[in-house]
Amino acid sequence: MVSCANQDPKDIAQDEKIGRFLGGVSNTLMFMSGKGGVGKSTTAVNVSLFLSDLGYRVGLLDIDIHGPSVAGLLGLKGMPLNIVNDKIQPFQVNDNLRVVTFQGFLNNPDQPIIWRGPVKMGVILQLLADVDWGELDFLIIDSPPGTGDEPLTIAQRIPECRAVIITTPQEIALADVRKSLNFCKQTNIRIMGIIENMSGFICPSCGERHDIFKSGGGEKTAAQWGIPFLGKIPIDPSVVEAGDQGCGIVKESSPAKSSLEEIVQRITANLENEINGEKAARKIGIPLAGGKLCSHFGHCEEFALVSIADGEIGEITKRVPPPHEPGVIPAWLAEQGVDTVLAGGMGEKAQDIFRQKGIKVICGVQGGSPRDIAASFLQGTLLTGGNPCSHDEPGHQCHHGR
Ligand code: ADP
């Protein structure tokens, strides 16, 4: 996040800790749903377990403060989280999976939490700053249903996170999925895809399929929104059994297990393709003011144009753009062959114009030389904080739409 002169030193220290932690996280996936009870936590837990079984280092963070399920699904209910040297020690579920759930701080796990938004936001930030997570290939976040303070805190603090949206197939659930999709659009977080859970039931006696909650609605919504469909998970009694026993994962061969395996494969393959796409970027544009990364796009004086070949940094040139007029700079950068812009702050209108030109924009990038910024981007370790030109931080003077 961009620090201001009047920012509390405690907040600056927390920001730095979060920045250090996120610098060691390769991918963040936030599991979201429009409604409760659609299997979001079950899916987040199972995806985490499957990824950890594949050898990825996974951190699973339950930020559903009012209705945390992760502890119960993994048999951790009632177990306390320890603190060593001022760092919260996550539960180590297996060699590769670390879990933190707020339930680990409660004396009575059935005690309700009655907190307002700012307190919840503070707790979530603390769970990012003060946990001994170590380096992670995946940070999986189980967020509460809906589009409240908890997912908003993540979207603002981890803008590079991707949303995985879980739904059941019927229209009443899909109506709320559209709200989640609009939330992602408005907060500028990328959508990893939609998972359709409880999609049909294969009768164990007759082998026939029954679409109890209908089927295909999630897939159709994904197609309508032009986002990836990650797969369907059928209704499967072994999912309930595994969850109730606190072993989370569907162990024996079952319809849900093979569906989850396919979903995990699709997630890793899609991420790999995306990263390869980033490596194949032809040219990166970085707005500069006074020779440094410009924290407000509208104030930029020149652009560093960084050529990339086979994932390696080539020539870096500096060019002065034409005078700022709406749409002029995106068109000019497109002419220069730029397909990715790494910016500090940028207004939403400007981001939309870039997208329309097929240029990817990553906002909230923090200082450094153009070479360092481009190198971090290529290595997947680019540090990003809040977008100082977003409407959530209205105190800044920005020139939206440039
Ligand atoms: P959410 O996190 O969306 O509130 P949960 O993951 O807690 O939902 O799941 C709600 C209930 O549905 C749990 O009892 C869980 O075992 C059950 N469930 C989830 N997915 C399936 C499935 N594919 N088949 C059968 N039961 C499921």
Side-chain angles (χ1 to χ4, degrees):
M1 228 176 262
V2 176
S3 26
C4 298
N6 56 359
Q7 204 181 348
D8 186 328
K10 266 198 246 151
D11 293 342
I12 296 175
Q14 187 181 59
D15 250 14
E16 282 172 4
K17 284 194 216 166
I18 296 176
R20 267 200 300 277
F21 161 55
L22 294 176
V25 176
S26 305
N27 303 288
T28 301
L29 303 180
M30 171 155 69
F31 280 62
M32 298 179 65
S33 66
K35 283 210 174 303
V38 299
K40 169 186 51 60
S41 300
T42 305
T43 313
V45 162
N46 277 287
V47 166
S48 301
L49 283 160
F50 278 96
L51 284 168
S52 68
D53 274 353
L54 289 171
Y56 293 104
R57 296 162 301 173
V58 183
L60 171 59
L61 173 61
D62 186 356
I63 59 162
D64 189 346
I65 289 169
H66 298 292
S69 314
V70 167
L73 290 168
L74 287 168
L76 303 168
K77 211 168 173 180
M79 286 169 68
L81 279 162
N82 292 322
I83 297 180
V84 176
N85 295 333
D86 289 340
K87 280 271 181 192
I88 299 161
Q89 303 299 308
F91 297 114
Q92 191 84 44
V93 172
N94 63 33
D95 284 352
N96 291 324
L97 177 58
R98 298 172 152 208
V99 175
V100 169
T101 153
F102 191 71
Q103 276 208 328
F105 299 106
L106 301 179
N107 293 331
N108 171 7
D110 295 327
Q111 181 188 327
I113 302 283
I114 305 165
W115 285 344
R116 291 189 193 278
V119 182
K120 289 190 274 184
M121 286 164 80
V123 168
I124 293 170
L125 294 180
Q126 206 182 341
L127 294 178
L128 297 174
D130 293 337
V131 173
D132 201 358
W133 287 109
E135 291 199 349
L136 298 175
D137 298 309
F138 284 93
L139 172 64
I140 307 276
I141 297 176
D142 185 18
S143 112
T147 54
D149 295 312
E150 297 88 339
L152 184 61
T153 305
I154 296 298
Q156 287 177 335
R157 193 56 194 87
I158 318 183
E160 63 276 24
C161 93
R162 294 170 170 86
V164 176
I165 294 167
I166 320 296
T167 183
T168 47
Q170 67 274 48
E171 179 49 39
I172 195 162
L174 292 168
D176 284 335
V177 162
R178 291 191 284 273
K179 285 190 198 148
S180 299
L181 293 169
N182 276 320
F183 168 88
C184 295
K185 214 173 144 202
Q186 280 169 20
T187 56
N188 279 324
I189 58 173
R190 287 172 285 178
I191 299 168
M192 183 82 239
I194 293 184
I195 296 175
E196 185 176 300
N197 189 27
M198 306 192 195
S199 176
F201 172 70
I202 320 259
C203 171
S205 316
C206 66
E208 212 174 297
R209 185 190 164 94
H210 303 275
D211 287 331
I212 294 171
F213 297 132
K214 297 187 168 164
S215 176
E219 191 166 11
K220 217 165 109 192
T221 306
Q224 278 163 354
W225 282 70
I227 54 178
F229 181 65
L230 297 171
K232 295 178 186 176
I233 308 170
I235 297 172
D236 184 340
S238 73
V239 173
V240 183
E241 230 163 86
D244 285 354
Q245 283 171 8
C247 57
I249 203 155
V250 201
K251 283 217 168 80
E252 68 276 22
S253 68
S254 67
K257 184 177 181 192
S258 41
S259 307
L260 278 155
E261 272 168 350
E262 277 172 31
I263 287 170
V264 168
Q265 265 172 17
R266 218 159 279 147
I267 289 175
T268 52
N270 287 3
L271 283 171
E272 203 160 307
N273 287 341
E274 211 177 292
I275 289 163
N276 287 341
E278 279 172 9
K279 287 217 170 105
R282 291 161 301 148
K283 211 174 256 185
I284 297 173
I286 302 174
L288 305 175
K292 292 187 185 151
L293 175 77
C294 175
S295 54
H296 299 294
F297 184 72
H299 300 173
C300 108
E301 294 160 359
E302 58 179 353
F303 274 85
L305 304 179
V306 184
S307 298
I308 309 294
D310 296 330
E312 299 291 329
I313 295 176
E315 194 190 12
I316 302 181
T317 53
K318 288 188 182 162
R319 295 266 160 83
V320 177
H324 286 287
E325 287 292 335
V328 168
I329 292 186
W332 175 76
L333 284 170
E335 270 168 32
Q336 309 296 311
V338 167
D339 57 10
T340 305
V341 168
L342 305 179
M346 189 186 295
E348 280 149 28
K349 274 191 206 150
Q351 290 184 42
D352 270 347
I353 300 174
F354 274 113
R355 271 188 223 113
Q356 284 159 20
K357 292 262 165 221
I359 297 177
K360 178 177 171 173
V361 178
I362 297 180
C363 290
V365 175
Q366 305 187 5
S369 69
R371 179 177 291 280
D372 289 346
I373 292 171
S376 307
F377 170 69
L378 292 174
Q379 284 158 12
T381 55
L382 187 68
L383 273 186
T384 53
N387 177 359
C389 299
S390 77
H391 295 302
D392 302 312
E393 293 177 69
H396 293 278
Q397 292 283 310
C398 288
H399 299 257
H400 293 282
R402 287 190 164 174

